[in-house]
Amino acid sequence: MNRLVRAALCAATLLMPAIAAAADLLPVEDFARHPQLSMPRLSPDGKYLALRWDDGRQHALMIYRVEDMSKPVSMLRMPKYELPAGITWVSPTRLVVEKGKELGSIDRPAFTGEIIATDVDGKRQDYLYGYESMYGSRSETRGRDRGWGAVDDLPERANGHFYMRATSWENQDSSYLYDVDATANTRHLAGDINVGGMSFMVAPDGQAHFAYGRNDNFDYVVYHREGNRWQRLAQAQIGGTFTPIGVAPDHQRIYAWYDAGGAPASLVEQDEAGSNRKVLAAAGFGEVAGIEWTPLPRQPFATIMDTGVPQVQYIDPNLPAAKLHRALGLKFPGQYVHFIDYSEDGGQLLFSISSDRNPGSYFLIDTHTYKVRRLFDASPWIDPAKMAERRPLQFKASDGTELEAILTFPPGRAEANLPMVLLPHGGPIGVRDDWFYDDDAQFLANRGYLVLQVNYRGSGGRGEDFQEAGYLKWGTRIQQDLIDGVKWAIARQYADPGRICVYGGSFGGYSAMMTVVRAPGMFKCAVGYAGVYDLKMMYKKGDVRESKSGRSYLTTVIGRDDAELDANSPDKLADKIDVPVLLIHGEDDQRAPFAQAKAMRAALDAAHKPYEWMSKPGEGHGFYDEKNRVDFYNALQAFLEKHIGKGA
């Protein structure tokens, strides 16, 4: 086996460019373009590949025969702003698609709750669930669903069925699980619970054994099915984290993420009732994530952490899948190898490689002959050899808390006294920056700027306690963590203290204004992109407030005290902003409505503060149109050059 793996993969490595320092000024368009092909899924028989296609204007589901990727077997075009948000094969010739909608480049596409099915040749398209009576064998009744559905699980072997969780708009206080026959377009109830917003874990008997998620009060809850009744697990059983994720091959035990007290979660195997718990992969500074699975019967064989450069931990290094993974890792140095899909017989494996410099490349390997075939690159116009290193590091905040920072160094420059851009991530709760490729960071590094990203309190990947430490701290502790990161970068002499700006999108746009307020004199300019600037307005405008769970989220993370909200809203503090500002916003933004940007602009006008302005009609939460993205990056570059000079 090892000899065959070595021989077959030597040729594959010749396709990978060497990583070298580069100082080329790359076209803005290279960073503004969307990947044309993404989210590949292998059919159960290994003969077909389904993926999402994007030409910058419209999305489609594309299906290719693996043996001939030159032209698709079929194409299902989606209406404007809609896309295949989830792709699931339910048989060798049929697949289901969860529809999604583009909110903008900053947010992930939002699932609409509609599910459709199609044959591999594009025929027999059916509308399985949703709020519209569109087409298919039961179009006269399916339009009456008036709810939101999602693929929750699959039978162990493909049989044309899938498990769908659903919430009715008329009764949002209950969650339902259906066994759906995607060929006959029929379904029957496999579980239900009088709690809204739950996901389910399905056992081999086809019944829901666990229900879990955040309820309408934004509390994380877990229920276990005992006979015909649901029993809510006590906090002592849940601990800080307990999320069931799958059934072990013996059908007696389950896999779960678990932590006893709010620290980063480990991967465990246990009896369904919670006894005989065994830690398969222990958490460290970050949570266990990135699980790699064997072919059927599925079991986890490796994990990585949610922080730092991915370091693979093998649970059982002697498993054939683990040996193959290790061999591929050796043949693609500097890349993270991810096993995406196997054919049901385990003979074909779809895998990807990616890194801080590589947005992603996709391959198929025959696990009998070890012949590797390169399928496509996510962004073939990106040359990894010309991209920048992203280096995760740790530093102590001013109160002693250990935090993670990610520095992106401009290629070919000395790592000292560099002009720097602080780039706070959005969210803020549960979101994080990681080591992998980042368009914004790579664009700024290519222009010669050091980029600093900080996983401040409230970020994901560090456990429940760390995440909750950001609640009600949007304008205070979170901003101090960001400021402490800048001080650390200066103290390490990475950053030139006289040439620092801050730029962020969504909550990052909020932070761009608030860090300037909290640390006068530290920054030379600030850029807010699709930002939130008036916290009280979040209760009056935008899509977060439109659901009960969204309103509970707001109450939990920003609070209801008007005086506190005003004290932490940039538009109420405009007189304290002592640097030039650039505001950029989409006029159709529903997450951070255009009114947020207009409120900030009015506040800057009233305070007689200098600012520049860019808005685009038809754009949502972040610019999606590639021409608008080019305009945005050009404006960002010009603004930075004006106020902290050209990059190193």
Side-chain angles (χ1 to χ4, degrees):
M1 172 180 174
N2 289 337
R3 178 180 58 81
L4 287 170
V5 171
R6 283 196 298 270
L9 296 184
C10 280
T13 56
L14 295 176
L15 300 172
M16 296 303 300
I19 301 301
D24 306 34
L25 196 65
L26 300 174
V28 175
E29 288 78 5
D30 285 359
F31 302 96
R33 294 173 67 180
H34 303 290
Q36 187 173 35
L37 303 176
S38 61
M39 209 166 69
R41 298 291 183 266
L42 186 67
S43 64
D45 60 4
K47 293 181 179 179
Y48 295 98
L49 194 72
L51 44 78
R52 188 163 71 200
W53 174 83
D54 176 7
D55 69 352
R57 298 178 301 276
Q58 190 177 24
H59 293 279
L61 170 73
M62 303 277 273
I63 301 175
Y64 290 88
R65 194 181 296 275
V66 169
E67 65 185 25
D68 180 14
M69 293 285 290
S70 63
K71 60 180 179 179
V73 174
S74 64
M75 172 189 285
L76 175 61
R77 289 186 177 272
M78 311 290 283
K80 190 176 182 181
Y81 300 124
E82 293 187 5
L83 76 169
I87 302 171
T88 305
W89 288 92
V90 296
S91 83
T93 59
R94 194 155 177 83
L95 62 165
V96 299
V97 176
E98 296 166 272
K99 292 178 67 177
K101 200 167 199 175
E102 287 286 359
L103 299 178
S105 61
I106 295 177
D107 262 355
R108 292 180 178 178
F111 286 81
T112 66
E114 300 169 273
I115 302 178
I116 59 178
T118 181
D119 280 352
V120 70
D121 58 6
K123 298 178 180 178
R124 290 201 309 140
Q125 293 179 11
D126 248 338
Y127 191 71
L128 302 185
Y129 193 84
Y131 52 86
E132 293 185 11
S133 180
M134 294 180 66
Y135 49 80
S137 58
R138 299 174 192 273
S139 58
E140 74 283 355
T141 59
R142 288 296 182 250
R144 300 173 192 167
D145 285 329
R146 307 296 294 171
W148 192 93
V151 176
D152 226 22
D153 212 336
L154 291 169
E156 196 168 72
R157 292 191 177 272
N159 61 2
H161 291 237
F162 69 97
Y163 298 107
M164 177 184 76
R165 74 177 186 271
T167 301
S168 167
W169 290 349
E170 283 74 30
N171 180 17
Q172 296 186 33
D173 294 328
S174 294
S175 302
Y176 303 91
L177 182 75
Y178 293 96
D179 180 340
V180 182
D181 184 332
T183 302
N185 197 355
T186 59
R187 60 187 182 231
H188 69 264
L189 193 66
D192 64 308
I193 186 170
N194 293 326
V195 183
M198 295 293 101
S199 295
F200 296 93
M201 194 201 81
V202 185
D205 63 5
Q207 298 295 310
H209 283 214
F210 284 94
Y212 58 93
R214 291 196 178 273
N215 61 20
D216 285 340
N217 295 321
F218 204 63
D219 296 323
Y220 183 75
V221 293
V222 181
Y223 294 84
H224 181 233
R225 190 168 188 162
E226 299 177 2
N228 293 322
R229 301 183 61 184
W230 287 105
Q231 183 69 38
R232 180 172 173 174
L233 299 186
Q235 193 62 47
Q237 295 169 286
I238 297 175
T241 303
F242 176 75
T243 306
I245 55 176
V247 179
D250 64 6
H251 292 180
Q252 303 300 313
R253 292 168 63 76
I254 66 169
Y255 302 116
W257 278 295
Y258 174 76
D259 169 69
S266 299
L267 175 65
V268 301
E269 180 183 331
Q270 63 177 55
D271 294 339
E272 189 173 313
S275 57
N276 299 317
R277 182 174 289 133
K278 174 186 177 183
V279 175
L280 299 180
F285 181 72
E287 296 184 319
V288 172
I291 299 175
E292 301 295 337
W293 298 85
T294 68
L296 292 175
R298 281 163 47 93
Q299 64 183 100
F301 70 81
T303 63
I304 58 171
M305 294 294 175
D306 250 350
T307 54
V309 177
Q311 301 292 326
V312 179
Q313 300 181 51
Y314 290 102
I315 297 168
D316 182 351
N318 294 315
L319 287 171
K323 292 180 179 179
L324 177 58
H325 190 273
R326 186 187 299 274
L328 288 167
L330 292 172
K331 295 304 177 181
F332 295 109
Q335 309 282 327
Y336 174 61
V337 177
H338 172 51
F339 287 4
I340 301 171
D341 277 330
Y342 298 90
S343 58
E344 277 198 347
D345 64 5
Q348 299 294 318
L349 167 63
L350 173 67
F351 72 94
S352 66
I353 61 170
S354 57
S355 73
D356 55 343
R357 300 169 172 91
N358 177 15
S361 302
Y362 297 87
F363 300 81
L364 195 69
I365 183 171
D366 185 312
T367 61
H368 301 301
T369 66
Y370 302 107
K371 180 181 179 181
V372 177
R373 180 179 167 200
R374 192 183 195 118
L375 298 176
F376 65 92
D377 296 318
S379 302
W381 54 88
I382 294 293
D383 181 355
K386 296 180 179 178
M387 294 297 108
E389 177 195 358
R390 289 170 57 73
R391 190 182 305 167
L393 298 167
Q394 294 176 19
F395 71 94
K396 284 188 177 181
S398 51
D399 65 353
T401 300
E402 200 79 18
L403 300 177
E404 181 182 46
I406 299 172
L407 288 173
T408 305
F409 291 92
R413 280 80 166 187
E415 297 179 0
N417 295 315
L418 292 162
M420 187 176 80
V421 178
L422 171 65
L423 179 56
H425 66 68
I429 305 301
V431 179
R432 67 185 178 91
D433 289 311
D434 59 34
W435 170 77
F436 291 96
Y437 183 90
D438 182 302
D439 273 325
D440 281 355
Q442 290 291 353
F443 170 74
L444 292 168
N446 182 257
R447 267 51 190 168
Y449 299 105
L450 174 68
V451 181
L452 169 65
Q453 294 166 287
V454 176
N455 283 320
Y456 46 73
R457 266 161 274 205
S459 302
R462 295 279 306 277
E464 199 68 17
D465 286 351
F466 187 83
Q467 184 170 298
E468 291 182 2
Y471 291 1
L472 307 179
K473 301 290 193 300
W474 280 30
T476 52
R477 185 65 248 181
I478 289 177
Q479 305 310 314
Q480 190 59 51
D481 285 350
L482 290 165
I483 292 163
D484 289 344
V486 174
K487 292 179 177 178
W488 165 80
I490 293 171
R492 292 287 295 268
Q493 297 184 344
Y494 291 130
D496 178 349
R499 300 177 66 192
I500 300 174
C501 277
V502 54
Y503 147 63
S506 194
F507 178 82
Y510 167 87
S511 293
M513 302 299 116
M514 287 302 297
T515 49
V516 169
V517 170
R518 301 300 187 212
M522 175 173 281
F523 302 96
K524 300 301 180 186
C525 61
V527 182
Y529 178 41
V532 170
Y533 307 112
D534 183 335
L535 296 186
K536 281 195 299 190
M537 190 187 293
M538 296 184 73
Y539 286 101
K540 301 173 183 177
K541 297 178 184 290
D543 59 6
V544 177
R545 67 186 175 91
E546 292 175 353
S547 66
K548 185 176 179 181
S549 59
R551 292 189 293 274
S552 294
Y553 167 83
L554 291 177
T555 301
T556 301
V557 302
I558 65 173
R560 286 304 318 241
D561 185 283
D562 284 353
E564 283 294 314
L565 294 176
D566 283 348
N568 292 287
S569 292
D571 70 328
K572 305 300 188 295
L573 305 168
D575 61 317
K576 300 182 184 300
I577 294 176
D578 59 358
V579 301
V581 166
L582 171 60
L583 296 176
I584 303 173
H585 220 96
E587 295 178 14
D588 290 348
D589 195 338
Q590 299 301 311
R591 182 56 46 87
F594 191 40
Q596 290 277 358
K598 291 191 288 186
M600 192 69 231
R601 179 175 63 177
L604 292 170
D605 278 331
H608 306 291
K609 299 293 184 176
Y611 68 89
E612 296 179 30
W613 175 266
M614 174 185 284
S615 68
K616 296 286 186 179
E619 290 286 11
H621 198 49
F623 295 172
Y624 183 80
D625 182 271
E626 290 179 2
K627 291 181 180 178
N628 290 338
R629 285 169 58 81
V630 169
D631 289 347
F632 157 65
Y633 276 132
N634 281 328
L636 174 62
Q637 179 178 341
F639 188 76
L640 294 174
E641 289 182 359
K642 182 189 299 185
H643 298 292
I644 58 173
K646 290 192 174 186

